[in-house]
Amino acid sequence: MDYKKLTDEQIWKLISMGDRTAFGFVFKTFVKEFFKYGCKFTKDKALIEDVIQDTFVSLWKSKEKVKIEKSIKFYLITAFRRELIRRISAERKFDTIEDCADTYFIEHSYIDLLVQHQSSIQMNEDLTHALSQLTARQREAIYLKYFVELSYEEIAETLDMQVPSLYNLIMKAMKALKLSMKNEKLLVNLK
Amino acid sequence: MKKQFENIEDFLSDSTFRDWVLHEKDVKSLYWENWIKSNPDKVEVLEEAKALIWILEGNNATLEEEEANMLWDAIDAQLEEPREGESSKGITINSSKESQNSRFWYFLTFPSFRIAMILITVFFGSIGFLLLNGNDHFSDQEILQSEADFWIEKVTQKGEKKRIHLPDGSKVLLNAESTLKYLPGFGKDHRDLMLEGEAYFEVSSDTLLPFQVQSNDLQTVALGTSFIISAYSSHNTQEVKLLTGKVSVAHQAQNGYLSHVIYLNPGEDAMLSNHDFKKSNFDVENALKWTKGILHFQETPFMEVVEVLERWYGVDISVSGSRLSMSRVTGEFKRENLENVLKSISYSSSFDFHIKGKKVMISTR
């Protein structure tokens, strides 16, 4: 069966009747994206995989009860996010100081990036500064909007805020980023 | 209709563009290269969008196809329906136990507990035994069943490794063909584990509850440390290698008494081999290699290499020709497939091999 042609509602119907192949299709469609998203919260890849596993298994277990009409992805990613944050906070109690340093939606990715692309991006202090000025929430909102491709309504629900203020938040963040980029003429040697 | 790309957001929200920037799929590269040629006026915006994607995506951590497949296998294995339905049909249980059982299963549905775990607390167990003593129609098998149900069990097959997060925050990497089990209440009332096979432990510190691992004839006690225990029952030697912290390792004799205790410092290992229990030093870097997916052999006897490969790749290897068993292998392989590993070993050890599904035949050249 070509699951790609089905709507979320139809796929969910199959899953709730016990169709493991359909469930596998959903997993394969989203797993890489979820993993990347998880990497924004922690460096502990084993933990991310663990939480992905738990998220899918527990959805399967409650497949008869859960009703999904619109977006399976949205359901899964919010469950994934919730559990991941819970587990990170639970672990943090035991972790070494080193691990405690990173917060949700950590900035380490930017540092890694700077190292990685140093030769190609002439990223200077102002832009780095602009990035660090964004709140974790702003970064996450932009990520959810453009990379995970959730709707404003879905992001608002995930981050527990109102749609208009979310809209505002994203606009401001994008503006700040664009501005610093314009200022610094980042276009050198991008290729 | 052709998609319009006017501002940064238009680029950002296009998944083919993102894939192209992050080099995830080569397929579209031609498209975007042509696009740039025919839209020279938009290049500036495009480059800005490109930079932004790099910035936002940050570290290029990705889940490899193979890792995704392994993760799915692990999930798929847990999608079996729970077994409680069957067992309550087969055995007559009084109502109080039944209700406790169902509450117990509810507890299992919490995401942090795996469906594969089967556990009943000691309390339920003792009820079970009282019942069993009074009712003749319970068979021995059912008694065994309920005993086995106490344990929370993590099992790896050949060719498989598993990362385990214990309830106390400790982490375990379970090597292939190994079993780790513990009783409920781990992290609260106790930190006792049973291990068969091999595992790497990173123990969360907890000064009140000692972290104890029972493996065959060795008992290892730690208070916040990392170490490796190797206790495959097919091996003659059992080992505990300490990386950080401090542990004590006790040898448990057949009669159950702890005969001898060794205290380890980092870089030291305790080895039990044919009733000889002693302390020595080991190479930390080499010892950790398997936890990083690296196969490492150093003057390793050929038959031991065969055993490691069987476990690592989940295959059966048959060896013909006695000369081979005398040879030794040195080499290191990082995430190589079996064929490549065998190929490079076969140069130095000179043998021919043939892989057919899960069976491997090795013969003297």
Side-chain angles (χ1 to χ4, degrees):
Chain A
M1 189 186 293
D2 189 1
Y3 294 105
K4 277 183 194 148
K5 291 192 180 128
L6 301 180
T7 64
D8 276 27
E9 195 183 358
Q10 290 167 323
I11 290 182
W12 182 246
K13 207 168 241 165
L14 290 174
I15 292 172
S16 56
M17 289 186 305
D19 186 337
R20 282 163 78 153
T21 329
F23 199 55
F25 167 77
V26 170
F27 173 85
K28 295 230 160 74
T29 312
F30 299 133
V31 65
K32 289 186 180 175
E33 205 173 324
F34 285 13
F35 183 81
K36 280 194 157 190
Y37 180 49
C39 287
K40 305 286 167 206
F41 292 91
T42 173
K43 286 183 191 176
D44 186 347
K45 294 183 181 154
L47 175 68
I48 298 168
E49 286 185 32
D50 221 32
V51 173
I52 290 177
Q53 187 169 338
D54 286 345
T55 309
F56 276 88
V57 170
S58 71
L59 176 62
W60 178 262
K61 277 192 268 185
S62 47
K63 60 185 185 299
E64 285 99 2
K65 279 168 266 156
V66 173
K67 272 187 106 157
I68 297 179
E69 277 158 1
K70 279 193 206 134
S71 167
I72 299 175
K73 178 182 185 174
F74 175 59
Y75 180 93
L76 277 167
I77 205 156
T78 37
F80 169 67
R81 181 183 188 271
R82 207 182 311 121
E83 179 64 9
L84 185 62
I85 289 178
R86 194 188 66 75
R87 290 273 285 272
I88 293 170
S89 338
E91 276 205 358
R92 198 156 284 181
K93 274 183 254 164
F94 303 100
D95 273 353
T96 58
I97 300 158
E98 184 187 74
D99 293 331
C100 282
D102 45 6
T103 48
Y104 304 135
F105 243 72
I106 31 182
E107 281 167 51
H108 73 77
S109 46
Y110 306 116
I111 308 299
D112 289 354
L113 172 102
L114 282 172
V115 176
Q116 214 172 321
H117 292 291
Q118 216 153 33
S119 55
S120 53
I121 301 185
Q122 301 287 316
M123 180 121 48
N124 59 36
E125 283 169 17
D126 283 358
L127 181 59
T128 329
H129 182 70
L131 283 169
S132 61
Q133 289 300 298
L134 296 187
T135 61
R137 187 170 272 249
Q138 275 177 319
R139 286 196 291 263
E140 190 175 1
I142 291 179
Y143 193 85
L144 287 172
K145 172 79 187 129
Y146 293 108
F147 286 75
V148 187
E149 295 182 323
L150 295 187
S151 69
Y152 280 109
E153 288 75 21
E154 289 170 335
I155 300 168
E157 201 180 320
T158 310
L159 300 180
D160 192 22
M161 57 194 295
Q162 300 295 320
V163 177
S165 46
L166 169 75
Y167 197 76
N168 227 334
L169 182 106
I170 292 183
M171 290 290 280
K172 269 190 194 157
M174 287 302 291
K175 215 169 151 186
L177 284 177
K178 279 194 230 170
L179 194 71
S180 47
M181 211 152 4
K182 280 263 181 309
N183 287 346
E184 303 314 328
K185 294 201 184 68
L186 192 80
L187 317 169
V188 209
N189 301 330
L190 266 181
K191 246 191 139 193
Chain B
M1 196 189 79
K2 247 195 145 187
K3 210 170 160 183
Q4 290 297 310
F5 293 95
E6 293 297 335
N7 52 33
I8 291 187
E9 282 88 342
D10 296 336
F11 287 102
L12 274 190
S13 47
D14 188 274
S15 64
T16 65
F17 181 74
R18 291 197 305 267
D19 288 345
W20 175 63
V21 172
L22 299 167
H23 304 291
E24 288 196 348
K25 288 170 194 136
D26 303 327
V27 205
K28 293 280 170 195
S29 65
L30 212 64
Y31 172 84
W32 284 105
E33 276 150 28
N34 286 333
W35 193 93
I36 291 171
K37 273 180 208 147
S38 49
N39 296 279
D41 53 318
K42 305 264 175 64
V43 171
E44 192 172 330
V45 188
L46 179 137
E47 294 294 355
E48 284 176 4
K50 219 166 148 183
L52 237 156
I53 285 174
W54 274 338
I55 288 158
L56 289 168
E57 190 57 275
N59 59 341
N60 276 344
T62 48
L63 195 66
E64 299 297 326
E65 197 62 35
E66 196 186 320
E67 293 172 302
N69 288 338
M70 272 171 67
L71 190 55
W72 171 249
D73 291 344
I75 292 170
D76 195 40
Q78 292 180 59
L79 301 185
E80 302 291 340
E81 295 303 321
R83 287 198 290 162
E84 92 266 43
E86 293 162 32
S87 60
S88 60
K89 257 180 258 156
I91 311 169
T92 341
I93 312 169
N94 76 11
S95 61
S96 75
K97 192 187 175 191
E98 201 156 35
S99 70
Q100 269 160 344
N101 251 341
S102 63
R103 204 180 331 143
F104 160 74
W105 281 111
Y106 169 72
F107 164 72
L108 264 192
T109 60
F110 280 109
S112 50
F113 289 87
R114 299 293 170 70
I115 197 168
M117 305 171 183
I118 300 163
L119 58 98
I120 296 180
T121 65
V122 179
F123 174 63
F124 299 153
S126 56
I127 291 180
F129 275 107
L130 289 176
L131 284 170
L132 295 171
N133 291 338
N135 291 290
D136 293 338
H137 58 267
F138 286 99
S139 71
D140 285 352
Q141 209 181 345
E142 281 158 353
I143 297 175
L144 283 175
Q145 181 69 47
S146 70
E147 274 230 277
D149 284 355
F150 289 165
W151 294 93
I152 298 164
E153 232 178 32
K154 311 278 185 174
V155 183
T156 52
Q157 308 299 323
K158 274 185 178 180
E160 184 190 29
K161 285 196 211 67
K162 222 175 241 174
R163 296 151 176 145
I164 298 159
H165 292 261
L166 292 170
D168 69 333
S170 298
K171 292 170 198 166
V172 183
L173 183 64
L174 196 59
N175 208 347
E177 219 179 6
S178 303
T179 303
L180 184 76
K181 52 186 184 177
Y182 53 91
L183 288 167
F186 186 94
K188 281 200 205 90
D189 317 321
H190 70 90
R191 295 207 291 169
D192 300 342
L193 295 165
M194 300 265 273
L195 172 75
E196 278 166 50
E198 185 165 40
Y200 167 66
F201 295 87
E202 275 178 29
V203 181
S204 291
S205 59
D206 182 333
T207 44
L208 294 177
L209 293 176
F211 190 96
Q212 309 194 56
V213 188
Q214 181 73 46
S215 53
N216 281 357
D217 308 319
L218 299 181
Q219 195 182 55
T220 310
V221 182
L223 288 162
T225 175
S226 57
F227 54 91
I228 292 174
I229 296 182
S230 176
Y232 284 112
S233 44
S234 57
H235 278 219
N236 282 332
T237 53
Q238 303 171 36
E239 268 180 287
V240 178
K241 294 172 180 158
L242 180 67
L243 299 147
T244 59
K246 201 169 176 79
V247 299
S248 72
V249 185
H251 172 212
Q252 197 166 27
Q254 298 295 353
N255 56 19
Y257 290 109
L258 299 177
S259 63
H260 185 42
V261 180
I262 287 179
Y263 291 92
L264 293 181
N265 289 313
E268 291 178 340
D269 71 343
M271 191 192 288
L272 175 70
S273 170
N274 302 324
H275 302 289
D276 182 23
F277 187 46
K278 61 169 196 270
K279 182 154 100 172
S280 57
N281 292 309
F282 70 97
D283 184 332
V284 174
E285 205 185 314
N286 287 341
L288 277 173
K289 283 200 166 130
W290 71 262
T291 68
K292 294 169 182 155
I294 302 171
L295 262 172
H296 171 83
F297 301 117
Q298 194 163 16
E299 287 290 294
T300 313
F302 189 79
M303 293 321 281
E304 207 177 305
V305 171
V306 166
E307 199 184 318
V308 170
L309 292 178
E310 281 185 321
R311 199 168 272 141
W312 192 276
Y313 292 102
V315 293
D316 284 315
I317 302 178
S318 58
V319 181
S320 61
S322 57
R323 181 182 55 77
L324 276 174
S325 58
M326 304 299 287
S327 70
R328 284 173 182 271
V329 177
T330 299
E332 200 168 284
F333 308 95
K334 185 163 188 184
R335 297 187 206 288
E336 279 293 354
N337 63 35
L338 179 60
E339 193 177 350
N340 287 343
V341 172
L342 284 172
K343 224 180 244 167
S344 59
I345 299 178
S346 71
Y347 292 134
S348 55
S349 298
S350 61
F351 58 76
D352 290 318
F353 66 93
H354 180 66
I355 303 177
K356 200 178 172 193
K358 292 269 166 203
K359 299 247 183 268
V360 182
M361 268 80 72
I362 292 179
S363 52
T364 330
R365 196 176 279 163

